[in-house]
Amino acid sequence: RYVALRAASGGPGREGSTAVKLSCGNKEWAWFQVGSQFDVYTFALDSLCSTPGERVLTINADPWSPAEHGAGLDRRTLGIMLDWVRFY
């Protein structure tokens, strides 16, 4: 079993890559860098996240604010841009 996600590091004012951590339940199991352009990232689901029953996938990314990067007055705390997530 696998999980794939299509993501990019941010929006206007955000350049470069962003550190991302995936957790299943309360177990961290994947760490990677998301680039500034949309790309697909695929991971094998190990025994921590492949047991039968309900699964919760948590995606944590380094926070940022457009205003802190000179991209207007938007002071929201943002993470990555996520287009879709697929389990297969």
Side-chain angles (χ1 to χ4, degrees):
R1 300 194 41 93
Y2 295 88
V3 61
L5 54 100
R6 184 172 185 265
S9 65
R14 181 75 184 250
E15 300 296 328
S17 64
T18 299
V20 176
K21 174 181 66 178
L22 297 181
S23 302
C24 189
N26 60 355
K27 308 274 187 177
E28 296 177 6
W29 61 272
W31 300 264
F32 61 104
Q33 295 287 321
V34 171
S36 59
Q37 300 296 315
F38 274 101
D39 203 354
V40 176
Y41 302 87
T42 303
F43 302 92
L45 294 174
D46 62 16
S47 61
L48 294 174
C49 200
S50 62
T51 56
E54 184 177 325
R55 295 177 202 101
V56 176
L57 177 68
T58 303
I59 303 168
N60 289 306
D62 289 340
W64 71 288
S65 168
E68 293 173 355
H69 290 267
L73 301 175
D74 186 351
R75 298 202 170 280
R76 293 177 297 160
T77 301
L78 305 174
I80 60 172
M81 294 188 298
L82 185 60
D83 186 26
W84 51 258
V85 176
R86 180 175 55 206
F87 291 88
Y88 59 98

